[in-house]
């Protein structure tokens, strides 16, 4: 049985520093955010380029404050490093400006400008961390729903786990958004030096880790603190060296606010049903909890508490309690919830005992007022719906029938007092009526189709041929995903890439290329568009195709030698230049095989001009190596070799006119021959 609360008394000859650290398992970084927000951590580190401050076009998310917390990242049971957890608090900055007509006339302007005010907000938050000899930069995407967008108001926080650092070092943390709407937040922290104490709980096991210098002598005592108030230990044991006289002492209860300790205690608790209508919560010690009855509809989400009309009751553990019911029902459950913020919960339902499976009954709540006034509502997932209302719910549509069932005695009364009552009304007959109507409609539809077939045989045959073509087109749309990245050297090269993308769609492949996404590029920016497309392609098992040209090779050398191009050096839609900040880390860290392939066009680029770093993945020459290129894109489930050769010929025929046009362009062929082996060897 886990014993989660201890009083640790640490006596040191000098002033102690005591730390109780959370334990994180594994090497993977992670991010989480406040309820209501959604967040995503980009794969790998990014290049930190704050840029200049720009004006906010309307409400935007900005970081307002930084908080840090020390945790332990553990690779094995006893192999752990110190790690810094960072929490970024966010708020809405800026506001929508009123149209001039609205300010003059004092009335709402055109409805179209009001649409963005109900839109959600999205931000890219950068966290930069420096602690000698470590420097890292990560990118977090955060999205806030429209309901939380209030200018000047805080919306929550996003937490990053975590940056590794050494004890005693000084860490510096910066945070800003891309684009940047205000000055960067910065925070400097001095990590504690030895000695330190770490206490963690893992199920039934409690781990104590002490680290002090050899010059310090100390004593350590463990206590079980059963009651609130002054310490009254019933167990004590000295675990360390003799204590120094008049030493400085400090005491901590590390598990009082530890959520894991509370979860351990709740795991040891058991909620039992006692026939005929009783229940008991068994626990090793007292719990701060409340109990209520709830209604569990079959297959319709969580159990809905019956509060009101039934009250919540404080729980006394290890004591039998009675349901305030007249009769039992399989959909009634007992729910015990904690008072703490963690909202821990236990639940047991009557159907688990002896009343059979859940029923599709409607629970009616009767409220009684003065002068015998009564009102009824039906408990549904959206709330308690008044009967005879105009709501578009099942209870509202069947309101009159349910009242007739109640007055005719077809409903079961579960609870009754002066203020109200609860009734369970069966819904089986209404479900059967609905299915009868559905079957009748299906039969009528089938008869109409058969009659139409007899009258229009020739037309039906034509429709069947069109349907077969649509099915084939649908099968083509379900091919493997491929994301094409290229450098827009000139208009002719863009036409050549467009011809390749169109031909690959007929293979079939699901192709994404910036040529077909200009509007999304303008709205999101090249970097955000590329990251979203790359993540979707990798998650679906597709490939990112890097199409090398003289311009692409020059960009690669520029990134590899100068750590990125100059700002504004490329066009607003150049996804290739923007994507290199994420593509290069994949190749440098060995994550590229299986995710990327390369390609270049015959006569436009020499094979040795492809930078050596990118030869870690297959690089194909087009159209001479089209069969192998298509086989790599389609994967192991591709067509047989004969069929693959036919598709390669189709793609080659589609490419050849555009490729010939590029080769005839003055200077293009010479540029391809000029990018020889010397260019590739510089990388």
């Amino acid at each position: 049985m886990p014993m989660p609360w201890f009083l640790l008394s640490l006596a040191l000859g000098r002033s102690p520093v005591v730390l109780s650290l959370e334990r994180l398992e594994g090497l993977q970084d992670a991010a989480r955010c406040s309820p209501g927000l959604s967040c995503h951590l980009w794969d790998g580190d990014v290049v930190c380029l704050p840029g200049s401050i720009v004006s906010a076009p309307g409400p935007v998310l900005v970081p307002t404050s930084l908080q840090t917390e020390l945790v332990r990242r553990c690779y094995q049971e006893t192999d752990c490093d110190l790690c810094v957890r960072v929490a970024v608090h966010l708020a809405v900055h800026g506001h929508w400006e009123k149209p001039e007509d609205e300010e003059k006339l004092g009335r709402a302007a055109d409805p179209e400008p009001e649409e963005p005010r109900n839109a959600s907000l999205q931000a890219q938050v950068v966290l930069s961390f420096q602690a000698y000899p470590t420097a890292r930069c990560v990118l977090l995407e955060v999205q806030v729903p429209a309901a939380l967008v209030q200018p000047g108001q805080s919306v929550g926080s996003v937490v990053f786990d975590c940056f590794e650092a050494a004890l005693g070092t000084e860490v510096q943390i910066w945070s800003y958004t891309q684009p940047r709407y205000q000055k960067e937040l910065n925070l400097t922290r001095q990590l504690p030096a030895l000695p330190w104490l770490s206490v963690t709980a893992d199920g039934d096991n409690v781990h104590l880790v002490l680290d002090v210098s050899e010059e310090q002598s100390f004593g350590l005592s463990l206590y079980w603190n059963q009651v609130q108030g002054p310490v009254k230990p019933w167990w004590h044991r000295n675990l360390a060296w003799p204590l120094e006289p008049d030493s400085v002492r400090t005491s901590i209860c590390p598990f009082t606010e530890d959520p894991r300790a509370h979860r351990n205690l709740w795991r040891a608790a058991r909620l039992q049903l006692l026939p005929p209508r009783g229940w008991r919560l068994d626990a090793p010690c007292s719990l701060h909890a409340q109990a209520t009855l709830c209604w569990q509809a079959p297959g319709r989400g969580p159990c809905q508490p019956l509060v009101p009309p039934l009250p919540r009751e404080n729980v006394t553990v290890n004591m039998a309690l009675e349901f305030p019911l007249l009769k039992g029902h399989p959909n009634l459950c007992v729910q015990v919830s904690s008072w703490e913020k963690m909202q821990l919960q236990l639940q047991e339902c009557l159907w688990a005992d002896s009343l059979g499976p859940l029923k599709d009954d409607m629970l009616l709540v009767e409220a009684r007022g003065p002068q015998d006034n009564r009102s009824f509502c039906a408990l549904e997932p959206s709330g308690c719906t008044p009967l005879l209302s105009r709501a578009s719910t099942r209870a509202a549509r069947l309101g009159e029938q349910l009242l007739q069932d109640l007055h005719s005695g077809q409903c079961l009364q579960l609870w009754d007092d002066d203020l109200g009552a609860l009734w369970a009304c069966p819904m089986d007959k209404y479900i059967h009526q609905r299915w009868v109507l559905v079957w009748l409609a299906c039969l009528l539809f089938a008869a109409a189709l058969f009659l139409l077939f007899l009258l229009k045989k020739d037309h039906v045959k034509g429709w069947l041929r069109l349907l077969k073509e649509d099915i084939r087109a649908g099968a083509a749309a379900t091919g493997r995903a491929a994301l094409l990245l290229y450098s827009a050297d000139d208009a002719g090269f863009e036409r050549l890439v467009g011809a390749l993308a169109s031909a690959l769609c007929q293979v079939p492949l699901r192709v994404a290329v910036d040529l077909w996404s200009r509007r999304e590029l303008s709205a999101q920016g090249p970097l955000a568009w590329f990251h979203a497309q790359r993540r979707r392609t990798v998650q679906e098992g597709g490939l990112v195709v890097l199409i090398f040209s003289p311009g692409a090779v020059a960009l690669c050398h520029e990134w590899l030698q100068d750590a990125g191009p100059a700002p504004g050096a490329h066009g607003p839609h150049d996804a290739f230049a923007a994507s290199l900040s994420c593509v290069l880390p994949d190749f440098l860290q060995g994550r590229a095989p299986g995710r990327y392939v390369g390609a270049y066009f015959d006569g436009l680029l020499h094979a040795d001009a492809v930078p050596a770093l990118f030869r870690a993945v297959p690089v194909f020459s087009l159209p001479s190596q089209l069969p192998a290129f298509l086989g790599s894109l389609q994967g192991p489930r591709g067509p047989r070799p004969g069929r693959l050769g036919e598709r390669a010929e189709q793609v080659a025929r589609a490419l050849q006119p555009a490729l010939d046009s590029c080769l005839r362009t003055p200077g293009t062929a010479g540029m391809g021959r000029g990018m020889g082996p010397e260019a590739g060897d510089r990388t």
Side-chain angles (χ1 to χ4, degrees), residues 651-667:
V651 175
R653 287 195 297 270
L655 281 180
Q656 200 59 49
L659 181 59
D660 292 342
S661 177
C662 282
L663 292 175
R664 287 194 300 268
T665 301

Side-chain angles (χ1 to χ4, degrees), residues 143-399:
Q143 186 166 5
V144 180
L148 298 180
V149 177
Q150 296 293 334
Q153 297 294 321
S154 174
V155 298
S157 60
V158 58
V159 178
F160 171 76
D161 281 329
C162 57
F163 298 112
E164 293 185 5
L167 280 169
T169 60
E170 181 184 82
V171 301
Q172 293 182 324
I173 303 171
W174 292 270
S175 179
Y176 53 91
T177 59
Q178 288 185 342
R180 188 160 63 95
Y181 302 109
Q182 64 179 20
K183 187 178 178 180
E184 308 102 310
L185 291 180
N186 64 81
L187 184 67
T188 301
R189 285 288 183 267
Q190 182 71 41
L191 299 189
L194 298 178
W196 62 278
L197 164 69
S198 176
V199 185
T200 58
D202 182 12
D204 294 345
N205 302 316
V206 176
H207 302 282
L208 264 67
V209 179
L210 296 128
D211 197 338
V212 296
S213 63
E214 295 181 356
E215 300 83 33
Q216 290 179 313
S217 58
F218 65 94
L220 174 68
S221 299
L222 299 182
Y223 296 86
W224 168 260
N225 189 19
Q226 177 69 25
V227 296
Q228 299 292 332
V231 177
K232 298 179 180 179
W234 59 268
W235 176 81
H236 165 269
R237 183 181 179 187
N238 190 0
L239 300 180
W241 296 269
L243 303 181
E244 293 183 0
D246 300 324
S247 58
V248 178
R249 296 171 181 262
T250 192
S251 298
I252 61 170
C253 293
F255 304 112
T256 303
E257 302 295 334
D258 191 340
R260 293 168 298 175
H262 288 273
R263 284 194 290 267
N264 287 340
L265 184 57
W266 275 84
R267 278 197 291 265
R270 294 292 181 269
L271 181 59
Q272 292 187 350
L273 298 178
L274 306 175
R277 291 188 300 274
W279 62 278
R280 182 179 67 231
L281 179 64
D282 296 328
C285 53
S286 61
L287 285 170
H288 298 292
Q290 290 182 327
T292 185
L293 287 177
C294 62
W295 179 264
Q296 180 65 66
R300 293 183 184 173
C303 196
Q304 295 177 271
L306 301 179
V307 180
L310 296 178
R312 295 186 184 272
E313 295 184 359
N314 294 334
V315 174
T316 302
V317 299
N318 305 323
M319 178 183 292
L321 300 171
E322 289 287 332
F323 294 119
L325 296 174
L326 298 175
K327 292 186 180 180
H329 190 280
N331 291 29
L332 284 173
C333 306
V334 126
Q335 195 176 78
V336 179
S337 305
S338 68
W339 287 357
E340 289 83 7
K341 297 179 181 179
M342 295 174 291
Q343 292 298 315
L344 300 171
Q345 184 173 283
L346 297 174
Q347 179 177 308
E348 286 291 337
C349 299
L350 302 185
W351 61 266
D353 185 14
S354 59
L355 295 180
L358 297 175
K359 295 182 179 180
D360 192 15
D361 290 357
M362 184 70 70
L363 184 71
L364 300 186
V365 180
E366 177 185 351
R368 296 169 182 169
Q371 300 179 355
D372 200 26
N373 291 329
R374 300 192 303 171
S375 61
F376 295 88
C377 66
L379 192 64
E380 296 187 291
S382 58
C384 206
T385 305
L387 299 183
L388 305 180
S389 68
R390 297 182 178 180
S392 59
T393 64
R394 182 172 67 159
R397 290 192 299 268
L398 300 175

Side-chain angles (χ1 to χ4, degrees), residues 557-565:
H557 288 311
E558 187 177 348
W559 270 91
L560 291 170
Q561 294 174 2
D562 300 330

